[in-house]
Amino acid sequence: MHKYCVILAGGTGLHFWPLTREDFPKPFMRAGAHGVSFVQLTYRRALEFFPEDHIYIVSLAKYRGLLFEQFPDISEDHLLLEPYGRGTATSIAFATYTLMARDPEAVMVVTACDHFIKADARFNSAINKALDYAASNDALIALGIVPTEPNPNFGYVQVEGGRKAWHTGVPVSAKTFTEKPSEELARIFVDSGEFLWNSGIFVWKASAIREEMHDCCPEITKLWKGWEKALGSAHEARFIERVYSDSPNNSIDYAVLEKSNRLTVLPCDFDWADIGSYSAYYDYTPAKDADGNVIEGVSGKLFVKDSTGNMLYCDNPRKLMIVRGLKDFLVIDTGDVLVICPKDEETLRDTSREMKRPEFEEYR
């Protein structure tokens, strides 16, 4: 079996602050009613397709302790620990060369870990179909989700053939990528029938993505010269440190996919959402009370009245939380930080920016 899964578990704690911090980013945050973190949830989905020894997690070295807390039985050599964050292109290069060194015939699923996905028959079919196609082709495959609304918080990929291509059951050629368009443009995209949501899930042969990275981003691949001898040796850590010190900070979309002639998109209709903010978390979590409030991690007593559409969190078991007369607010108490503000995207984004000021450094 030459099939593998690579889970990208980097990122920062910015968009879910104060539940996430610089030393506790979103992948390790509890994923709502699922009862596990985002990275644990992604790993659990991967186990439906791959044995444990075919699943790899790419993350920053400073999160090693968190990874072993959440995956106490994982093998050390299945954690690809990066000395610095250099974007998904370098993360995928690390995983690609590692797999090539261990299995030159590797076919890999690459996935972010900040999704809500209903892992039903439609999802299973899409993953298996993409793996089978990639095994017999040198194409790069992105899973594209048939959009259900003009959501400006998702990325979009334009495909050849429009709506007719959605029902072919095979990957189709990609035309353009657009990351988080305006609401008006998102509506135009959806109405045109030519655009799918970019799921952030990719499938390809390790050899195919290595070749395409060599052609599209040689500024990255040239740094990996000598990988055949370095990876798995006593000199690996020093080699990786040198690579990451000089590597540019680019996403795989920018470095490869937007330039590639091999890129295809498999249209999919499974339930999917990119959870990139509190508002997205609220929209797509099913764990709401009768008044539409999301209540997460409230370990003490709670009194809620005349309040709708809020997100509530308090991790102090000795504290009584009272919420009355609030609508569409975020109320989060982590002990050292109390946040009370409207949960609309613009307000939350502005608040996150304000927290970058020097006087708030100890709370980041």
Side-chain angles (χ1 to χ4, degrees):
M1 178 180 175
H2 302 290
K3 298 174 182 179
Y4 300 82
C5 182
V6 174
I7 299 171
L8 305 179
T12 67
L14 179 63
H15 297 299
F16 283 92
W17 183 89
L19 291 183
T20 59
R21 308 291 176 98
E22 289 181 350
D23 59 356
F24 189 82
K26 181 169 57 173
F28 304 99
M29 168 184 157
R30 176 186 162 104
H34 297 283
V36 294
S37 71
F38 279 101
V39 67
Q40 287 173 316
L41 184 62
T42 307
Y43 194 94
R44 181 186 292 176
R45 281 196 299 266
L47 286 173
E48 296 296 316
F49 304 93
F50 311 94
E52 288 184 355
D53 62 347
H54 280 220
I55 303 174
Y56 291 78
I57 301 175
V58 185
S59 190
L60 288 175
K62 68 179 182 178
Y63 303 140
R64 183 180 182 277
L66 289 172
L67 286 162
F68 276 109
E69 279 182 26
Q70 299 199 357
F71 300 96
D73 298 323
I74 197 168
S75 172
E76 180 93 41
D77 64 358
H78 283 66
L79 297 178
L80 306 185
L81 300 179
E82 306 174 292
Y84 321 105
R86 289 294 184 264
T88 53
T90 299
S91 298
I92 289 171
F94 189 1
T96 298
Y97 288 117
T98 298
L99 289 181
M100 289 288 294
R102 300 176 186 182
D103 182 357
E105 298 180 57
V107 180
M108 53 200 287
V109 172
V110 178
T111 178
C113 64
D114 53 358
H115 303 149
F116 279 164
I117 291 173
K118 186 176 181 180
D120 57 12
R122 294 174 299 169
F123 175 72
N124 295 345
S125 174
I127 294 294
N128 287 322
K129 194 177 294 183
L131 282 166
D132 290 343
Y133 190 89
S136 57
N137 293 274
D138 286 333
L140 310 182
I141 305 167
L143 300 194
I145 310 298
V146 175
T148 57
E149 61 178 347
N151 194 317
N153 296 312
F154 296 164
Y156 288 75
V157 56
Q158 186 181 22
V159 298
E160 298 277 3
R163 284 190 174 90
K164 291 181 180 179
W166 297 358
H167 307 292
T168 60
V170 296
V172 294
S173 296
K175 294 172 69 176
T176 63
F177 275 88
T178 303
E179 183 63 21
K180 296 184 178 179
S182 66
E183 191 166 344
E184 181 181 357
L185 191 55
R187 187 173 293 108
I188 292 171
F189 285 173
V190 173
D191 289 345
S192 75
E194 295 184 7
F195 289 80
L196 302 169
W197 287 337
N198 178 8
S199 72
I201 303 173
F202 307 103
V203 186
W204 44 54
K205 288 178 186 172
S207 58
I209 189 64
R210 184 188 65 167
E211 291 171 4
E212 202 67 352
M213 292 190 82
H214 178 77
D215 291 341
C216 296
C217 53
E219 68 277 10
I220 292 177
T221 56
K222 70 180 182 181
L223 300 173
W224 291 86
K225 184 177 181 180
W227 64 270
E228 299 94 334
K229 293 182 178 179
L231 295 181
S233 75
H235 307 293
E236 177 174 323
R238 187 166 53 196
F239 176 79
I240 294 298
E241 173 74 27
R242 178 183 59 78
V243 169
Y244 273 77
S245 293
D246 296 334
S247 191
N249 190 343
N250 289 331
S251 69
I252 191 66
D253 297 44
Y254 174 81
V256 178
L257 302 183
E258 293 177 5
K259 307 171 187 176
S260 176
N261 294 321
R262 297 191 193 191
L263 182 63
T264 62
V265 181
L266 178 64
C268 305
D269 63 353
F270 57 83
D271 292 342
W272 168 95
D274 179 4
I275 308 302
S277 65
Y278 277 118
S279 57
Y281 187 100
Y282 176 86
D283 289 342
Y284 291 98
T285 184
K288 298 182 178 75
D289 69 10
D291 293 313
N293 297 302
V294 173
I295 301 170
E296 288 283 346
V298 177
S299 52
K301 292 185 178 181
L302 175 67
F303 177 85
V304 181
K305 190 170 183 178
D306 302 329
S307 298
T308 60
N310 302 294
M311 285 194 65
L312 312 176
Y313 178 94
C314 178
D315 62 2
N316 187 340
R318 302 180 62 187
K319 184 173 286 188
L320 167 64
M321 186 181 214
I322 301 172
V323 179
R324 187 162 188 170
L326 282 187
K327 181 179 180 181
D328 298 332
F329 263 67
L330 189 71
V331 182
I332 294 182
D333 185 349
T334 62
D336 63 334
V337 176
L338 173 62
V339 176
I340 305 172
C341 73
K343 66 172 172 50
D344 66 274
E345 196 77 36
E346 185 176 346
T347 301
L348 293 174
R349 192 179 297 117
D350 181 66
T351 303
S352 295
R353 284 194 295 264
E354 291 287 341
M355 290 307 103
K356 293 181 179 180
R357 286 159 48 183
E359 61 262 41
F360 302 125
E361 183 176 2
E362 65 181 289
Y363 302 105
R364 293 203 292 267

